[in-house]
Amino acid sequence: MSEVFDVIIDQAFFEGMTEEQLRAVAETASMVTFEEGAVMFVEGGPARRSYLILDGDVALSLRTQEHGLKTIQTLHRGDFVGWSWMYPPYRWSFDAHVRTEVTAIQFDGPLLKKLSVADPELGYDLLRRFTEVIVTRMQALRIQLLDVYSTFR
């Protein structure tokens, strides 16, 4: 936990949170690595985790019948991967493929939810922060869809 705390205290995503809040969040997390070419998760699979990328690149992709696997966004250091654990049906909305070896902090979604219920102020703060991630992903998806549809004209 101390290692995770020492890392997240310097991450932009957590800027402005109290030390007590950061320590509580760190209790839900662990350090992980993924080798190049690994699949972090697959669309439709059960979603229970979030990852804060410390190093490396992860491609978020959608599968379509006409175009196969289409990368909608590549995430890098400081980006979060995974928010589907927040809302039913708790299934991944995208595939996540490791482009270059990734070191990340893995957060346990159900534990973050319990923490948020126990501390509503922290829960609201985390919700606000993750909502910014969700909005950014939806904007990236919108841009990719515009690109796809423009090729059919």
Side-chain angles (χ1 to χ4, degrees), residues 1-30 52 80 105 107 112 115 119 121-123 125-126 129:
M1 192 283 293
S2 177
E3 179 186 13
V4 172
F5 173 79
D6 291 343
V7 173
I8 68 172
I9 198 167
D10 293 325
Q11 300 299 313
F13 182 85
F14 296 105
E15 188 175 318
M17 293 178 76
T18 68
E19 183 176 330
E20 181 181 331
Q21 290 172 326
L22 290 172
R23 287 194 185 281
V25 169
E27 289 283 338
T28 73
S30 60
L52 174 60
F80 253 95
I105 300 174
F107 295 88
L112 281 176
L115 184 63
D119 182 349
E121 184 178 330
L122 174 60
D125 192 21
L126 288 171
R129 292 166 192 267

Side-chain angles (χ1 to χ4, degrees), residues 2 4 8 11-12 18-19 26 36 39 50 57 59 74 80 106 109 118 127 129 131 134 142 149:
S2 177
V4 172
I8 68 172
Q11 300 299 313
T18 68
E19 183 176 330
E36 181 177 337
V39 177
S50 270
D57 304 305
T74 301
F80 253 95
Q106 174 181 277
L127 179 63
R129 292 166 192 267
T131 299
I134 294 167
R142 179 179 175 269
Y149 286 117

Side-chain angles (χ1 to χ4, degrees), residues 85-141:
W85 58 269
M86 295 178 69
Y87 304 104
Y90 309 110
R91 300 281 178 198
W92 295 118
S93 300
F94 307 106
D95 288 2
H97 298 270
V98 177
R99 291 276 172 94
T100 61
E101 183 177 326
V102 166
T103 301
I105 300 174
Q106 174 181 277
F107 295 88
D108 183 302
L111 285 179
L112 281 176
K113 280 185 178 185
K114 285 182 183 179
L115 184 63
S116 295
V117 169
D119 182 349
E121 184 178 330
L122 174 60
Y124 174 76
D125 192 21
L126 288 171
L127 179 63
R128 182 185 57 78
R129 292 166 192 267
F130 275 107
T131 299
E132 290 179 24
V133 172
I134 294 167
V135 168
T136 299
R137 295 289 143 66
M138 292 300 106
Q139 289 171 340
L141 177 59

Side-chain angles (χ1 to χ4, degrees), residues 1 28 43-44 48 54 75 77 95 101 112 120 147 153:
M1 192 283 293
T28 73
E43 181 181 357
R48 298 182 51 82
L54 301 176
L75 304 175
R77 177 189 308 240
D95 288 2
E101 183 177 326
L112 281 176
D147 285 347
R153 291 186 174 190

